[in-house]
């Protein structure tokens, strides 16, 4: 699939089904094996974020408009801003709004990380492990989200992020995500 195909209903169903089957299959593993799988997935996820952070840290500030126009066609950057204004974009949020949104996502990730363990009832020492794992999840996801927000703000103008969000909410086919923005700067496999 191409980047524009992924938001389609067909690909959402396919990717969601694959994810659901993999999650179900992982739950059939023995607890010791599942622990190894979960640690491996965590490390792979952190490595992926490390690649994104390294790539964004090496982007020249102020180059986003040119990169966007190269990928999407001449004048596409200004066109996106104009379309967003027509869709009702009036103000750009301050930089303080993004960390708050990131924290909300972080709490969602934190809940998603420890909820299966609570509902499964397979925690050996809940008084120790749940508190420690909750704090670790909050710390790790918080660091990742704060770093991601800070780096994306360095390379993508806030007005453009706002425009992409407004267009997405109004039904336009946009992909306002850090993965997509990073891929524009580094379209290779990593």
């Amino acid at each position: 699939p191409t980047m524009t195909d992924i938001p389609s209903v067909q690909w959402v169903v396919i990717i969601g089904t694959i994810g659901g089957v993999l999650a179900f299959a992982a739950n059939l593993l023995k607890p010791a094996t599942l622990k190894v799988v979960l640690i491996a997935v965590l490390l792979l996820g952190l490595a992926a974020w490390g690649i994104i952070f390294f790539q964004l840290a090496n982007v020249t500030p102020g180059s986003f408009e040119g990169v966007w126009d190269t990928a999407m066609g001449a004048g596409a950057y200004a066109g996106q801003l104009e379309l967003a204004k027509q869709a009702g974009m009036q103000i750009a949020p301050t930089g303080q709004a993004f960390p708050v949104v990131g924290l909300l996502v972080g709490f969602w990730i934190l809940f998603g990380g420890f909820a299966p363990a609570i509902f499964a009832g397979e925690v050996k020492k809940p008084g120790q492990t749940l508190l420690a794992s909750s704090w670790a999840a909050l710390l790790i996801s918080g660091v990742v989200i704060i770093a991601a927000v800070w780096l994306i703000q360095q390379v993508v103008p806030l007005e453009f992020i706002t425009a992409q969000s407004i267009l997405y909410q109004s039904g336009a086919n946009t992909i306002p995500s850090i993965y997509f923005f990073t891929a524009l700067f580094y379209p290779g496999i990593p």
Side-chain angles (χ1 to χ4, degrees), residues 93-109:
T94 65
Q96 300 304 318
F98 288 102
V100 172
V101 172
L103 286 174
L104 292 174
V105 173
F107 288 126
W108 176 70
I109 292 169

Side-chain angles (χ1 to χ4, degrees), residues 45-182:
L46 291 175
W49 277 108
I51 291 169
I52 290 170
F53 292 164
F54 178 76
Q55 290 176 330
L56 288 176
N58 289 307
V59 168
T60 305
S63 63
F64 183 77
E65 182 176 348
V67 171
W68 184 268
D69 282 347
T70 299
M72 303 298 175
Y77 180 88
Q80 291 286 295
L81 293 177
E82 186 56 39
L83 283 173
K85 288 175 184 172
Q86 291 172 6
M89 182 178 82
Q90 297 174 356
I91 59 169
T94 65
Q96 300 304 318
F98 288 102
V100 172
V101 172
L103 286 174
L104 292 174
V105 173
F107 288 126
W108 176 70
I109 292 169
L110 172 68
F111 177 76
F114 75 78
I118 291 173
F119 297 132
E122 297 181 5
V123 179
K124 292 181 183 177
K125 298 178 184 176
Q128 296 171 351
T129 56
L130 282 179
L131 186 59
S133 63
S134 297
W135 280 109
L138 183 61
L139 179 66
I140 291 170
S141 62
V143 166
V144 167
I145 289 169
I146 289 169
V149 168
W150 184 80
L151 282 168
I152 204 72
Q153 286 180 344
Q154 302 306 306
V155 298
V156 180
L158 292 177
E159 183 180 38
F160 191 79
I161 293 172
T162 304
Q164 288 292 284
S165 296
I166 294 287
L167 290 172
Y168 181 79
Q169 291 172 8
S170 67
N173 190 16
T174 63
I175 307 173
S177 75
I178 191 170
Y179 316 110
F180 182 66
F181 293 147
T182 304

